[in-house]
Amino acid sequence: MLLIAHRGYSGKAPENTMAAFRMALAAGAKALELDVHQTKDGRLAVLHDWNLKRVAGKRRRVAAMTWSELGAVDVGGWFSSRFHGERVPLLEEVLDLARGRAQVHVELKAGSGKYPGIEERAARILDERGAWNWAMVSSFDHAALKRIRKISPKARIGYLLGPAFFPKAWRETAVLRAESLNISVRQATARSVRSAHERGLKVFVYTVNDAKTLSRMRRLGVDGVYTNFPEMKAA
Ligand code: G3P
Ligand code: CA
């Protein structure tokens, strides 16, 4: 079972920073997960939230900032003074760090409805790096996944289920030629895992941060878990 470093080694370093990704790789993580938003001037920035309130104490929305504004913000100090000065990475930087060392699960936090052109930009960045062999794109925004599939026949797609219900997910994952069904711990049951596997889908589960749940996921036979502690051992 693959342990995917959720937002990097986010249990020990500020999430979605180069420090967190470097730490995950140094700990031997074979896969990294990250979140993507788009700046006002069309750069793909790696952070989880729509605004900077939680990680920088600022009420500014990513969509309303240019990359030069966003890239100058400290997003490490909130976690510990040791990480003061960590910046929001670009998607390209994390991919270049991970190349040849780990798979990357790229989660688009929204598609073109909110961030015009984000799918084309993400696909181009992945294409330019020949990254589809070691990276995949996921989203709760299934329209974004459809655009990714249309743009790139080579795309590897993870279908984040969210509150959608399973029959719809089975239909959409087939149309998308998705590689995986990405579900929450609560949605991971013997039945859902079996149904996904019967359809040829891998199952990735978020977010598993304790040994007991990790053991349960192993027993269920899931293919991977997103965890803030990629060195964690099952109970
Ligand atoms: O991709 C799985 C997981 O990361 C989705 O939830 O809120 O941590 O992005 P969130
Ligand atoms: Ca995520």
Side-chain angles (χ1 to χ4, degrees):
M1 188 172 64
L2 185 65
L3 268 65
I4 307 152
H6 181 241
R7 312 181 195 175
Y9 204 145
S10 58
K12 286 199 175 170
E15 64 183 49
N16 282 322
T17 60
M18 292 304 275
F21 296 119
R22 280 196 205 97
M23 212 177 272
L25 294 174
K30 296 283 178 279
L32 308 176
E33 188 264 357
L34 56 85
D35 304 290
V36 173
H37 289 267
Q38 181 170 277
T39 63
K40 190 175 159 187
D41 52 348
R43 303 304 298 270
L44 300 200
V46 175
L47 76 166
H48 181 270
D49 298 353
W50 298 87
N51 62 51
L52 290 170
K53 188 160 186 310
R54 190 171 55 87
V55 295
K58 296 180 194 296
R59 288 194 172 273
R60 299 203 59 191
R61 282 185 314 117
V62 176
M65 297 175 80
T66 62
W67 169 244
S68 82
E69 291 170 324
L70 180 64
V73 175
D74 171 15
V75 291
W78 71 275
F79 189 88
S80 146
S81 56
R82 200 177 131 214
F83 294 103
H84 181 76
E86 282 296 323
R87 307 289 178 204
V88 173
L90 288 168
L91 174 59
E92 297 92 302
E93 293 177 83
V94 187
L95 291 172
D96 291 342
L97 176 73
R99 181 203 297 272
R101 302 170 75 184
Q103 298 177 36
V104 184
H105 291 216
V106 176
E107 181 187 345
L108 300 184
K109 280 301 185 191
S112 288
K114 291 227 165 58
Y115 290 135
I118 190 170
E119 299 91 349
E120 284 78 7
R121 289 190 179 94
R124 187 167 63 241
I125 288 166
L126 287 154
D127 274 339
E128 281 167 0
R129 284 163 178 75
W132 290 117
N133 289 330
W134 47 274
M136 60 192 297
V137 171
S138 64
S139 190
F140 288 106
D141 182 336
H142 302 148
L145 296 179
K146 285 179 194 149
R147 280 191 287 272
I148 289 279
R149 171 54 72 224
K150 204 167 161 197
I151 296 161
S152 179
K154 284 186 289 189
R156 293 172 58 196
I157 290 176
Y159 183 96
L160 269 159
L161 185 62
F165 80 129
F166 281 96
K168 183 167 176 241
W170 304 140
R171 282 198 303 278
E172 292 196 332
T173 49
V175 171
L176 284 166
R177 289 186 282 115
E179 177 170 327
S180 67
L181 179 75
N182 300 7
I183 54 180
S184 66
V185 167
R186 194 175 44 79
Q187 291 165 326
T189 62
R191 187 173 174 200
S192 63
V193 173
R194 191 180 57 244
S195 300
H197 283 165
E198 280 170 2
R199 289 167 169 83
L201 292 161
K202 292 177 190 160
V203 178
F204 297 130
V205 178
Y206 62 91
T207 306
V208 176
N209 288 327
D210 68 274
K212 211 171 137 199
T213 309
L214 186 63
S215 300
R216 187 157 64 81
M217 293 303 120
R218 206 185 283 284
R219 284 198 300 277
L220 283 175
V222 310
D223 300 273
V225 297
Y226 298 98
T227 175
N228 299 351
F229 299 94
E231 292 174 290
M232 187 173 45
K233 303 274 180 265

